Amino acid sequence: MGARDATVFQEVEHAESMLSLDNVFDAPELRQWAERVAKGLGSDVETLNFAVEPKIDGLALSITYVDGALHQAATRGDGRVGEDVTENVRTIRNVPVTLPGVARGRLEVRGEVFLALDDFHELNDRQRAQGAKEFANPRNAAAGSLRQKDPRVSAQRPLSFLAYQLVDVSGSLSFTTYLDTIRQLAEWGFLTAEETRLEVGVEAMIERSDWYEEHRHDLRYDIDGIVVKVDDLAQREQLGFTSRAPRWAIARKLPPEERTTRLLAIEVSIGRTGRATPYAVLEPVVVAGSTVSMATLHNQDQVAAKDVRPGDLVIVRKAGDVIPEVVGAVAEPGKRRAKRWTFPSNCPDCGQPLERASDQSDTYCVNPACPAQLLHQIVHFASRGALDIEGLGEQRVAQLLGAGLVSDVADLFTLRAEVLAALEGLGELSATSLVREIDKAKSTSLSRVLVGLGIRHVGPVAARALATHFRNYAALAHAPLEELEDLAGVGPVIAQSVYQYCREEESRERVGRFVAAGLSLVERESGRALEATLQGKAVVVTGALEGYSRDEAEAAIVARGGTSPGSVSKKTYCVVVGEAPGASKLEKAQALGVPRVGANEFETLLGTGTWTSTLA
Ligand code: IVH
């Protein structure tokens, strides 16, 4: 696409570079910026005048007027050289072709090309009616429309242009404040941001920027932040520029991008512990650069609190641009809503009744034979933190279950290569290698088996404590409850869970089969100090990590020489992202370029001090 387009549009060198803006991410950072500005000016931050305006999520454009007539329009490009889109820009409403009362001189008007939300929806309706591809979001639609080869097509697109900068190239005008220039632009016929306010002092300025955060969805266009600018043009001159941005302006970026889409259905998935997690099935929508068609709703109470119902228009965002979640429903006056969604009383996979303890927010399928649980249990058993069996991912396990070859983790040890080789997509070589991997895993250690069994509340820390103390499974299985409770790293809840597990008929049978298959139930990895893989490194954990309480996760990091502070800074080594992570930590990490690592990498991180991949 790039090559073809490059031949269509001429290059244009900007008379003055089109700079970018520096970013801040919250009110305290905005305050720091204002204080820096005041210091640079030798003035008082409480009396400075700030213009506070929306940061439109569109494309920057520079329009040159010579002797009052539109001469040329160019995209930002790399800031120095852009593309000539004059003919297309001529078709944009609210771009005047002549500037009334301007007879001489060269001016540049800069601003943002965008599609107002109403216009975007109308355009997509039209695209759909014509069987053409719909646009993912207003920004893409604006970009595509501006860069049309044929201006007649551009003219059909309801593009808008909002002006926010006047560059007086020939120096024929004289203004003393920014708002004066904006008023002049409006008089000439340009669209300017009606939400722009002049605020005196840092407090009022911050308050106004908070207003945008609260009202971002009430605006006619998508915004991705707020721009604060010093209003006094002489002060701007004094402050000047860095190489990439003016010192007199700053963008306060807003937290995760939110989009609206239709909630098609609410479904429930069953995890390995039987936990029933409701999730939203959505009409696909692009959020922060990728298509989202499902989003977690966490638990029954969350669905009730958000009161989202199938058929609703809902707001979706990605916490820290990573994990999709449904924020809530958008009111649609006059529209009949579906009945309030109720949590199913039976497991969607096995049909058995679901249970929820009165003091807990989670609901469980307690049928040990539930196929969905089984799938995730086996995947977990084979995962890196447990038996680490290569080649046993979710798809392969589902295939084994479907073929009736396994119905319990212990069945893995009975698999034969000849039988596996007959499965689709496996073949003799992969079948033999899978059986070899399973065989290799038999010489594992007790702590890994304990992790793999997925005993409720038992994570790697508790598993290690149990394995180190008891040395073999038989000793653990016969230990009195008090002995379990007294162990460091094992509280009464874990102790009770382990005690109960060991006494269940099904577990006893499973362990019997492990022994028969030759699986090691003896601790090998204990007795030595843990390697200081995270020496001096700060690892921030956000959200829940399966198998670890917050304290356990911290203890595990500290045990490897690291620290686990509660907030992200430039010095943070990485952020481990669990379930329902804190948006602000993720945002901060993203802003500072701190790597964000998935929860599934936590074990690797502890073991090696690094990870295999970061989150996109
Ligand atoms: S002022 C030298 N004001 O944000 C200052 N920019 O991240 C020039 N933008 O390239 C920019 N709304 O495309 C300014 N009210 C606003 C804006 C705005 C959106 C865009 C613009 C710029 C980018 C910088």
Side-chain angles (χ1 to χ4, degrees):
M1 179 173 164
R4 195 194 65 206
D5 287 355
T7 59
V8 175
F9 300 102
Q10 294 287 320
E11 287 195 342
V12 178
E13 194 165 335
H14 299 296
E16 264 183 48
S17 279
M18 290 183 79
L19 294 175
S20 183
L21 291 169
D22 282 334
N23 296 323
V24 293
F25 293 86
D26 54 26
E29 287 181 359
L30 187 56
R31 185 186 305 277
Q32 282 170 9
W33 170 78
E35 280 162 0
R36 253 194 335 269
V37 166
K39 201 167 160 210
L41 292 170
S43 69
D44 183 356
V45 75
E46 297 308 335
T47 57
L48 275 181
N49 285 358
F50 298 100
V52 188
E53 58 188 35
K55 184 170 189 298
I56 311 225
D57 196 5
L59 302 113
L61 185 76
S62 178
I63 311 175
T64 309
Y65 288 84
V66 177
D67 299 338
L70 194 161
H71 171 70
Q72 192 173 53
T75 61
R76 178 173 185 273
D78 63 4
R80 203 181 57 79
V81 178
E83 286 174 325
D84 185 343
V85 287
T86 313
E87 292 318 307
N88 292 347
V89 168
R90 280 185 194 282
T91 70
I92 302 179
R93 50 187 173 176
N94 55 52
V95 171
V97 241
T98 52
L99 304 181
V102 181
R104 306 199 66 79
R106 192 182 175 97
L107 297 171
E108 260 187 65
V109 177
R110 293 181 176 179
E112 206 78 356
V113 174
F114 68 99
L115 270 172
L117 292 172
D118 282 352
D119 294 329
F120 167 68
H121 293 304
E122 213 179 290
L123 173 62
N124 259 357
D125 287 346
R126 226 161 58 203
Q127 294 284 107
R128 202 176 313 124
Q130 293 168 355
K133 206 163 168 269
E134 291 179 48
F135 293 101
N137 55 49
R139 191 178 189 284
N140 286 0
S145 304
L146 184 64
R147 304 183 80 258
Q148 282 293 326
K149 270 191 284 185
D150 184 349
R152 282 172 302 184
V153 179
S154 269
Q156 302 292 312
R157 303 283 173 82
L159 286 170
S160 295
F161 174 76
L162 185 139
Y164 51 65
Q165 200 178 3
L166 176 59
V167 185
D168 181 6
V169 186
S170 45
S172 49
L173 303 168
S174 57
F175 293 102
T176 51
T177 71
Y178 170 60
L179 286 192
D180 283 346
T181 67
I182 291 295
R183 268 188 287 271
Q184 176 65 79
L185 288 167
E187 260 172 49
W188 282 334
F190 289 100
L191 174 70
T192 55
E194 56 182 326
E195 301 85 5
T196 300
R197 293 281 180 280
L198 181 76
E199 301 292 354
V200 182
V202 66
E203 298 309 327
M205 177 271 275
I206 288 175
E207 202 173 302
R208 182 64 187 171
S209 78
D210 288 340
W211 177 91
Y212 282 96
E213 185 156 4
E214 213 174 293
H215 292 274
R216 70 185 292 188
H217 292 291
D218 304 336
L219 306 183
R220 290 176 44 243
Y221 30 68
D222 266 349
I223 65 169
D224 61 348
I226 301 122
V227 185
V228 179
K229 296 172 178 168
V230 169
D231 185 52
D232 186 305
L233 299 182
Q235 286 180 335
R236 285 191 181 189
E237 192 105 339
Q238 212 179 322
L239 289 161
F241 299 84
T242 66
S243 60
R244 51 161 253 131
R247 288 200 187 86
W248 44 261
I250 196 84
R252 174 179 175 181
K253 297 285 258 185
L254 285 173
E257 180 185 62
E258 296 182 343
R259 298 268 176 239
T260 56
T261 189
R262 242 350 118 187
L263 175 61
L264 301 176
I266 299 176
E267 290 180 2
V268 169
S269 75
I270 304 292
R272 75 175 163 84
T273 59
R275 189 168 76 198
T277 308
Y279 64 95
V281 180
L282 304 162
E283 204 165 88
V285 61
V286 174
V287 186
S290 75
T291 304
V292 171
S293 53
M294 279 193 292
T296 182
L297 287 163
H298 304 294
N299 59 44
Q300 184 173 9
D301 295 344
Q302 288 273 326
V303 185
K306 289 174 178 162
D307 186 20
V308 284
R309 310 179 189 188
D312 280 356
L313 197 59
V314 290
I315 300 170
V316 181
R317 74 166 172 216
K318 277 199 211 153
D321 283 349
V322 180
I323 302 192
E325 62 183 20
V326 173
V327 182
V330 182
E332 292 176 281
K335 184 174 182 286
R336 260 183 91 105
R337 299 180 73 197
K339 276 204 307 230
R340 202 175 246 277
W341 184 79
T342 49
F343 208 86
S345 40
N346 292 79
C347 170
D349 282 274
C350 70
Q352 296 294 305
L354 294 173
E355 286 181 15
R356 176 180 175 180
S358 55
D359 59 340
Q360 285 192 4
S361 51
D362 288 326
T363 306
Y364 285 88
C365 168
V366 293
N367 169 19
C370 171
Q373 285 183 52
L374 215 55
L375 169 71
H376 293 117
Q377 277 165 13
I378 299 175
V379 171
H380 173 76
F381 187 73
S383 70
R384 205 178 280 165
L387 267 72
D388 196 12
I389 305 173
E390 217 176 293
L392 262 190
E394 189 163 330
Q395 264 181 341
R396 183 69 69 220
V397 175
Q399 196 180 18
L400 298 178
L401 280 167
L405 294 177
V406 293
S407 59
D408 185 273
V409 288
D411 293 333
L412 291 174
F413 301 105
T414 65
L415 292 172
R416 296 204 333 266
E418 310 87 86
V419 181
L420 288 175
L423 291 178
E424 204 186 311
L426 251 176
E428 216 165 291
L429 220 65
S430 320
T432 317
S433 117
L434 181 56
V435 170
R436 195 177 332 112
E437 283 296 319
I438 294 173
D439 213 45
K440 220 166 72 189
K442 287 182 185 167
S443 53
T444 186
S445 62
L446 178 61
S447 53
R448 282 177 174 270
V449 176
L450 292 178
V451 170
L453 287 174
I455 306 167
R456 207 183 281 188
H457 307 299
V458 177
V461 174
R464 187 176 280 272
L466 291 163
T468 311
H469 180 81
F470 292 104
R471 318 294 309 172
N472 65 67
Y473 186 84
L476 166 74
H478 293 104
L481 187 59
E482 301 72 45
E483 191 177 351
L484 293 168
E485 281 176 348
D486 284 349
L487 275 181
V490 181
V493 177
I494 298 177
Q496 179 61 44
S497 176
V498 171
Y499 186 78
Q500 203 177 319
Y501 179 89
C502 294
R503 275 152 191 82
E504 277 163 12
E505 183 54 38
E506 206 187 315
S507 337
R508 288 167 52 182
E509 196 187 307
R510 178 179 299 133
V511 171
R513 296 181 61 202
F514 282 167
V515 174
L519 180 68
S520 161
L521 294 171
V522 177
E523 186 56 1
R524 299 169 196 282
E525 297 185 4
S526 60
R528 58 185 162 82
L530 290 171
E531 211 184 314
T533 47
L534 295 171
Q535 189 60 47
K537 295 185 168 128
V539 176
V540 172
V541 177
T542 176
L545 300 182
E546 188 148 349
Y548 290 85
S549 68
R550 187 138 295 244
D551 289 346
E552 279 187 330
E554 184 176 345
I557 294 163
V558 171
R560 271 106 182 147
T563 57
S564 185
S567 60
V568 179
S569 76
K570 257 187 266 176
K571 295 200 188 101
T572 306
Y573 179 55
C574 67
V575 175
V576 181
V577 183
E579 199 185 323
S584 65
K585 282 186 193 156
L586 289 178
E587 284 284 306
K588 193 88 186 274
Q590 192 188 17
L592 297 172
V594 172
R596 290 164 300 159
V597 180
N600 57 338
E601 298 257 11
F602 189 54
E603 296 291 319
T604 311
L605 178 68
L606 294 174
T608 65
T610 185
W611 48 84
T612 47
S613 68
T614 55
L615 296 171

